[in-house]
Amino acid sequence: MISSSLEKALNKHLNLELYSAYVYAAMAAYFDSKNLKGFASWMKIQTGEEMAHAQKFYAYINDVGGRVVLDAIDKPADDYKSPSAAFKTALDHERKVTKAIYKLVDLAQGESHHATTTFLQWFVTEQVEEEAVADDIVKRLSMIGESPEGLFLMDRELGARQAAGSAGSSTAK
Ligand code: FEO
C-alpha cells in the first residue's frame, strides 16, 4: 500500500523514464541522419534501457497496490549542433533524472515507506553509472573536436555496445 502522493510521484517518474527513452530515440534518429551508425546504435540500446527502467516503475507501482497512470510524453529535441552537443544534452538529462530519483527517495523516507526506499536504491546506483558513462563520452568527444578520424573511431567504438543481457555484453553503457 502506498499513499496517493507517493503513487503520484512514482507515476511522474515513470513518465520521466519514458521521456528518457524518447530523448535517446530522437538522438538515435539524429545520428542515423548523420550516417553515424555506431552512435545511433548506442542510442538505440540506451532507449531500450530507459524502457526497462520505466517497466521497473510500472511493476513496482502495481506490486504496492498503486495504479499506473500514463501521461503525455514531451517532444524531445530532434537536432543538435554536433555529436558532442547531443551527448552534453544526454549528460544534463541524466543529472536531472538523478535529482528526480533523490527527491523520490526523500519523499519515501519522509513517509517511512521502506519498501520504496529500497526499490529506489537500484536507481541511485544506476544513476552513478549513467552519469559517469555520459560524462566519459562528453570528455572524449571534446578531445576529438572536429577530427573526422576521431569521430570515425568513436563511432566504431560506440557501435560495439551491446544490450545488457545479450551475449558478450559489456558494462559499457
Ligand atoms: Fe533511466 Fe538514464 O535514467
Side-chain angles (χ1 to χ4, degrees), residues 13 17 20 24 46 49-50 53 93-94 97 123 126-127 130:
H13 195 87
E17 295 290 350
S20 304
Y24 292 124
Q46 190 63 27
E49 291 215 347
E50 300 301 349
H53 295 171
H93 179 71
E94 289 304 332
V97 174
F123 286 92
E126 175 72 1
Q127 282 310 120
E130 294 274 79

Side-chain angles (χ1 to χ4, degrees), residues 120-171:
L120 292 170
Q121 287 316 299
W122 185 89
F123 286 92
V124 170
T125 307
E126 175 72 1
Q127 282 310 120
V128 174
E129 193 180 350
E130 294 274 79
E131 284 193 32
V133 170
D135 187 50
D136 176 65
I137 296 172
V138 164
K139 282 178 179 147
R140 286 194 290 144
L141 281 171
S142 119
M143 276 192 290
I144 286 169
E146 305 285 306
S147 156
E149 294 86 356
L151 261 190
F152 175 80
L153 288 174
M154 195 87 178
D155 191 57
R156 221 165 49 175
E157 183 191 323
L158 293 184
R161 179 186 183 185
Q162 294 191 318
S166 65
S169 73
S170 74
T171 52

Side-chain angles (χ1 to χ4, degrees), residues 72-89:
I73 302 170
D74 290 341
K75 183 185 188 303
D78 54 16
D79 200 14
Y80 294 94
K81 271 198 299 195
S82 64
S84 179
F87 266 94
K88 274 183 196 147
T89 300

